Amino acid sequence: MTDASLAPAPAAAKPSPFHSLKVLWVRHWTDQLFSFAVERPEDFRFRSGEFVMIGLPGEDGGKPVLRAYSIASPGWAEELEFFSIKVPDGPLTSRLQTIQPGDDVLMGKKPTGTLVLDALTGGERLWLIGTGTGLAPWLSVARDPDTYQRFGQVIVCHTVRNVADLAYRDFFSREIHDDPLIGDEAKAQLTYYPTVTREKFETPGRITDRIKSGDVFADLGLPIGFSPNSDRVMLCGSMAMIKETGELLETYGMKEGSNAEPGDYVLERAFVG
């Protein structure tokens, strides 16, 4: 037996917890909002509404900088779309906002989250309420055929500060009707309800204020208030909106759900803290 045969076998390389993916396209909506898409790995599976870690390699050889991002694509899509804010001094977005097609972006391999249909019990009407980039998971859920099979009516509520911040307004108002998979269902069952807080708009103010006043229900021709028997709600966006709306829903007798125990409404605690 030689000394070489006694030497320990070289350690196997530890697999990376991230995919390195090519950027396919980038769209800048305003000086504070942008969307981008990356190639989808063949073995990547997720449920519409889940989130995943997105990031870039650390500068000067440092650790990767990562943040949780809702996947804006539906579970069947061939590319993975994301919707992001731009933070000038943000550790990630200050760099991420400069990406171009062909650049590489890191993505975690394990999607997760509670903004999924599995976390809700059955109902007649699904409310998807978001502020700012909290619209992202609704872009996923609203393009999933299962959504229209489970709910007769789907209402996407998007609250922003300025009219220009209503990214995807044209998509929800018109373009989704041409979707080859769910276009007909969306035309018949989907309602888009935007509100703007800092400029004149046909439906002004915060969505929480329009819920409290009853205006949102009146505008949509619905009975005032949420019903545990018929309404199901998903929440994503600012902490203040999620907290306030969650408390409002509880006053109507609605119970928060989870993957383990489905309920009447869900929120994404990974973004709430």
Side-chain angles (χ1 to χ4, degrees), residues 197-216:
T197 62
R198 295 188 179 180
E199 290 183 324
K200 289 186 177 181
F201 195 66
E202 55 264 31
T203 45
R206 299 184 303 163
I207 188 61
T208 47
D209 290 339
R210 297 190 73 81
I211 291 171
K212 291 177 180 178
S213 68
D215 287 344
V216 62

Side-chain angles (χ1 to χ4, degrees), residues 17-19 21 44 51-56 65-71 82 92 105-112 270-271:
F18 310 111
H19 292 287
L21 304 173
F44 185 74
F51 70 88
V52 71
M53 301 303 292
I54 288 289
L56 294 170
V65 182
L66 301 155
R67 295 290 184 271
Y69 274 78
S70 291
I71 303 170
F82 299 93
L92 177 59
V105 169
L106 299 177
M107 185 185 79
K109 295 181 178 180
K110 295 183 178 181
T112 188
F271 303 129

Side-chain angles (χ1 to χ4, degrees), residues 42-88:
E42 290 185 5
D43 61 350
F44 185 74
R45 300 288 181 268
F46 69 98
R47 296 176 297 171
S48 297
E50 288 189 315
F51 70 88
V52 71
M53 301 303 292
I54 288 289
L56 294 170
E59 296 181 293
D60 300 322
K63 291 183 178 180
V65 182
L66 301 155
R67 295 290 184 271
Y69 274 78
S70 291
I71 303 170
S73 305
W76 52 264
E78 296 181 359
E79 62 183 33
L80 301 175
E81 183 176 349
F82 299 93
F83 182 30
S84 180
I85 59 172
K86 304 176 185 180
V87 181

Side-chain angles (χ1 to χ4, degrees), residues 82-252:
F82 299 93
F83 182 30
S84 180
I85 59 172
K86 304 176 185 180
V87 181
D89 299 321
L92 177 59
T93 60
S94 61
R95 297 169 55 203
L96 192 64
Q97 65 182 287
T98 67
I99 58 173
Q100 300 290 331
D103 290 347
D104 290 325
V105 169
L106 299 177
M107 185 185 79
K109 295 181 178 180
K110 295 183 178 181
T112 188
T114 55
L115 300 179
V116 293
L117 297 179
D118 291 342
L120 292 174
T121 55
E124 300 172 10
R125 185 180 302 111
L126 176 63
W127 296 79
L128 304 173
I129 301 176
T131 56
T133 55
L135 181 73
W138 314 154
L139 287 159
S140 179
V141 174
R143 285 185 277 183
D144 192 316
D146 287 348
T147 301
Y148 300 96
Q149 292 175 9
R150 287 192 53 180
F151 297 94
Q153 184 176 18
V154 179
I155 302 170
V156 175
C157 299
H158 189 205
T159 293
V160 297
R161 294 176 177 176
N162 301 302
V163 176
D165 299 330
L166 289 173
Y168 296 97
R169 183 183 185 184
D170 289 343
F171 174 77
F172 278 115
S173 298
R174 299 191 313 272
E175 295 166 10
I176 193 172
H177 300 157
D178 297 323
D179 187 290
L181 194 61
I182 51 84
D184 291 342
E185 289 82 356
K187 185 178 292 186
Q189 298 168 241
L190 177 70
T191 300
Y192 174 61
Y193 188 86
T195 80
V196 175
T197 62
R198 295 188 179 180
E199 290 183 324
K200 289 186 177 181
F201 195 66
E202 55 264 31
T203 45
R206 299 184 303 163
I207 188 61
T208 47
D209 290 339
R210 297 190 73 81
I211 291 171
K212 291 177 180 178
S213 68
D215 287 344
V216 62
F217 305 103
D219 290 343
L220 298 174
L222 297 172
I224 301 297
F226 294 101
S227 168
N229 296 322
S230 58
D231 292 299
R232 298 295 176 264
V233 184
M234 291 181 169
L235 305 173
C236 190
S238 73
M239 294 183 188
M241 183 279 288
I242 290 175
K243 184 176 185 296
E244 187 174 359
T245 309
E247 291 173 351
L248 279 170
L249 294 173
E250 293 281 344
T251 67
Y252 286 105

